[in-house]
Amino acid sequence: MRRGCDALVEQLQSDGVKYIFGNPGTVEQGWIDTIDRCPDIEYILTLQEASAVGIADGYARKSGHLGVVQLHSGVGLGNGVGMLYQALRGHTPMLILVGDAGLQYDNLQAQMAVDLVAMAAPVTKWATRVTHPDSVLRTVRRAIKTALAHPRGPVLVNLPADVMDATNREVVVPSVVPDQNSMPDADVIHYASALLKHSCSPAIIAGDGVSAASAQVELSEIADVLGAPVWGCNWSTPNLPANDSHFRGDLGHMFGSTSQKLLEGIDTLLVVGTYLFPEVYPNTSPECLSNVNKIIHIDWDLDQIGKNHPIDIGIQCSPKAGLRALLHELGEPTGRWRRRNDEVIAVNSDLREQRKVEYSSSERSRYLIQFGQTVAQIAPPDTVYFDEALTSSAPLFEVLPTSPGRWLQTRGGSLGVGVPSGVGMKLAAGSSPVVVITGDGGFMYTLQALWTASHLGISLIVVVCNNGAYELLKDNFEQYWMTQALDIPLNSPSSFRLTEPSVDYVTACKSMGGDGEVVTDPSQFRSSIVRAFEAKVPYLIDLVVPN
């Protein structure tokens, strides 16, 4: 008898799935056992569900393939919800398979019984439950198509045990993802081009939809043609070639007033692959963009276009196709655009020099830059980096590479993404070294992922920037008090400190099968980094950062 469990694995095989990341439970044991006997699919065991989702997220982001996760009913899904939010915000293509005891128990309120679809709905692109044995594969194929179609995102399929144990008659065929590279309407592009041509001070706001469309070159070219600065907004992967002279940095993450100040003097906005605005505390005033006369918005995601602020032109298409069409319509840059371009490049150069002065006056920044420079000197050229360094990130990645294919960053507002993402990235990166740079607070959320790395024989480098505190909360605390027009308290809350007692991060790594060392002085940088790259197990550098 061919059961739903067997059919499911056959379908995943036909769709080229290599890994399933999970933490097993009783109600999923039928199809987990079938996976275990499948030579083409490897079940990657994790010790906690957040790590399973995080590893799948890193694998999918680095490889571009579907990340497949098995979660246990009820509490297991609950443990993974925070990481699913990260995946939703970052448009990670992911298939979450969750079991339950069976349809026959729905009315009994049995242990672990919960509405899994309702639980997953806020953190997934689509969530559903299979209710008949003849609809297992059709539902899984729809889920895979939905996860991989732009805008990508995580989807959940709830698989009741009695449905999966029943006879399955469905035929296996590969899932098909529709081609979405349609060209925008020529008249709309002509109108958008006219608005940009008449602009005196244009700017571009870009996000991860650009890299999802492989449109980095087009974004760089249109910034050059228009003479426009580029700001990042939901920017967690390289959306411009490394060292592009138009990139001015990220807009505000916490407060809308920060973004508004940066955009002063701009009269026309071209928004590509993101939305306005994703801060924690956006500016809700109708006048917050009063200086901007025209807004053109290009994205795959219809829901994001014109979502929060009025726009003049909205174009739903691939960012690559939209930018190519605009470039063709704009033609060669005029003398006015070239002069503006020179001014933008000069301003960006001045800002870089200002940052250097600021960094040189800070012991902490000098320390981090020296560490980053040492890593850059020793690391092989194909090294891949995951950046969850947060308050340590800016000086480190002033000197470490952020080029396409070599740098990914956290997104979504929750800690603990770094270590599991690094494990998943390493599975996708093959022989290329992977370096995760995280904070002491973030590391403690998902350190169990180190066990999975050791279990798989993965040599992963983890740098914990140890400042003994939730430093980002301290920064946000100061900003909060400034928004209240009140004096900033001399001390942040004691709950922001991680030193009573201090955590032994190296021992924690060793307990998971890894190795590591504490680094407190620049004289240790080179030798510790060499040992980390030579290690055959997960290697943790506890980088004690001056406060």
Side-chain angles (χ1 to χ4, degrees):
M1 180 184 76
R2 177 183 181 258
R3 303 171 303 152
C5 299
D6 307 307
L8 171 66
V9 175
E10 292 170 11
Q11 181 64 53
L12 296 176
Q13 279 182 290
S14 76
D15 284 316
V17 172
K18 293 177 61 178
Y19 303 110
I20 297 178
F21 309 93
N23 182 263
T26 303
V27 297
E28 300 89 17
Q29 60 188 347
W31 44 276
I32 290 177
D33 178 60
T34 307
I35 292 166
D36 202 47
R37 291 182 277 107
C38 175
D40 299 328
I41 300 176
E42 183 178 1
Y43 184 92
I44 305 294
L45 176 63
T46 67
L47 300 186
Q48 208 263 3
E49 289 84 358
S51 292
V53 179
I55 294 172
D57 186 47
Y59 170 77
R61 291 183 72 188
K62 174 58 182 165
S63 68
H65 301 315
L66 184 74
V68 182
V69 180
Q70 169 269 320
L71 296 179
H72 188 37
S73 180
V75 177
L77 173 58
N79 287 339
V81 160
M83 286 294 174
L84 280 174
Y85 176 75
Q86 284 270 354
L88 181 69
R89 293 288 301 188
H91 299 295
T92 304
M94 195 180 296
L95 172 64
I96 312 296
L97 302 173
V98 184
D100 69 48
L103 299 175
Q104 60 183 307
Y105 304 112
D106 274 5
N107 296 322
L108 300 180
Q109 293 186 317
Q111 184 169 314
M112 294 192 301
V114 66
D115 188 340
L116 298 169
V117 172
M119 182 186 290
V123 292
T124 55
K125 185 179 175 184
W126 182 59
T128 191
R129 190 187 193 204
V130 179
T131 57
H132 193 277
D134 286 344
S135 286
V136 174
L137 301 192
R138 77 175 81 247
T139 305
V140 169
R141 284 193 295 269
R142 179 182 173 187
I144 291 173
K145 177 204 74 172
T146 302
L148 288 169
H150 294 285
R152 292 176 161 187
V155 298
L156 178 137
V157 178
N158 177 196
L159 300 170
D162 48 7
V163 171
M164 300 304 291
D165 289 338
T167 300
N168 186 283
R169 302 175 298 174
E170 294 176 281
V171 176
V172 173
V173 294
S175 303
V176 175
V177 181
D179 180 86
Q180 295 176 280
N181 292 312
S182 56
M183 291 296 295
D185 182 79
D187 290 340
V188 175
I189 289 295
H190 180 75
Y191 180 34
S193 172
L195 295 184
L196 291 168
K197 286 179 178 179
H198 286 92
S199 170
C200 294
S201 181
I204 300 171
I205 296 177
D208 288 342
V210 172
S211 60
S214 300
Q216 292 97 330
V217 171
E218 286 79 5
L219 178 61
S220 179
E221 288 178 357
I222 203 163
D224 191 64
V225 166
L226 293 172
V230 179
W231 274 282
C233 182
N234 275 349
W235 184 294
S236 65
T237 187
N239 295 296
L240 276 173
N243 302 318
D244 187 278
S245 55
H246 299 88
F247 186 54
R248 198 159 283 183
D250 289 333
L251 293 178
H253 167 67
M254 288 296 297
F255 296 95
S257 56
T258 305
S259 301
Q260 184 178 1
K261 186 175 182 179
L262 291 171
L263 296 175
E264 288 177 355
I266 300 301
D267 66 358
T268 304
L269 277 179
L270 174 60
V271 183
V272 188
T274 187
Y275 71 98
L276 304 174
F277 289 99
E279 303 104 345
V280 177
Y281 299 105
N283 190 331
T284 59
S285 168
E287 290 80 35
C288 74
L289 288 174
S290 58
N291 61 293
V292 179
N293 298 323
K294 301 295 181 182
I295 299 178
I296 302 158
H297 198 160
I298 300 173
D299 203 351
W300 257 315
D301 193 345
L302 179 63
D303 182 56
Q304 306 295 0
I305 297 174
K307 179 169 72 173
N308 295 326
H309 297 278
I311 62 174
D312 296 275
I313 302 175
I315 305 172
Q316 185 189 17
C317 68
S318 158
K320 190 179 189 75
L323 292 176
R324 273 184 176 174
L326 268 179
L327 282 165
H328 178 75
E329 187 71 22
L330 287 167
E332 292 297 317
T334 64
R336 177 167 64 97
W337 292 352
R338 290 188 185 280
R339 288 190 296 273
R340 195 165 60 202
N341 197 46
D342 291 340
E343 292 170 2
V344 166
I345 292 172
V347 169
N348 281 5
S349 177
D350 290 343
L351 289 172
R352 282 194 294 272
E353 291 304 314
Q354 289 176 26
R355 285 200 303 272
K356 289 179 181 178
V357 172
E358 291 171 6
Y359 291 152
S360 66
S361 65
S362 163
E363 178 193 3
R364 181 173 172 273
S365 295
R366 292 196 305 270
Y367 180 88
L368 290 167
I369 285 174
Q370 187 175 347
F371 181 82
Q373 288 171 333
T374 310
V375 173
Q377 291 165 6
I378 295 170
D382 60 340
T383 300
V384 182
Y385 298 87
F386 190 89
D387 174 12
E388 195 190 22
L390 300 179
T391 55
S392 299
S393 176
L396 280 168
F397 284 91
E398 188 79 9
V399 292
L400 287 171
T402 57
S403 52
R406 295 191 59 196
W407 175 80
L408 292 173
Q409 190 178 49
T410 183
R411 67 276 192 265
S414 57
L415 295 178
V417 186
V419 177
S421 287
V423 176
M425 289 168 64
K426 180 61 179 171
L427 285 170
S431 60
S432 297
V434 173
V435 177
V436 174
I437 306 182
T438 184
D440 41 6
F443 173 76
M444 291 304 295
Y445 276 61
T446 47
L447 75 166
Q448 305 96 327
L450 289 172
W451 181 91
T452 299
S454 298
H455 180 66
L456 296 172
I458 285 177
S459 54
L460 176 74
I461 299 170
V462 177
V463 178
V464 176
C465 297
N466 180 358
N467 50 34
Y470 291 120
E471 194 70 25
L472 183 62
L473 291 183
K474 289 184 178 182
D475 292 348
N476 294 341
F477 183 70
E478 292 181 8
Q479 287 195 59
Y480 167 76
W481 281 104
M482 285 188 287
T483 63
Q484 303 302 305
L486 296 171
D487 291 336
I488 301 171
L490 291 176
N491 297 305
S492 58
S494 60
S495 58
F496 293 2
R497 295 195 292 270
L498 301 175
T499 54
E500 300 168 359
S502 297
V503 178
D504 188 339
Y505 300 106
V506 172
T507 297
C509 182
K510 289 180 177 179
S511 75
M512 300 284 177
D515 200 357
E517 60 189 285
V518 179
V519 172
T520 59
D521 188 84
S523 63
Q524 300 171 267
F525 287 174
R526 178 166 292 276
S527 59
S528 66
I529 293 166
V530 168
R531 281 190 289 272
F533 276 99
E534 290 176 347
K536 305 302 181 185
V537 295
Y539 199 91
L540 185 144
I541 296 176
D542 180 355
L543 182 66
V544 181
V545 178
N547 282 316

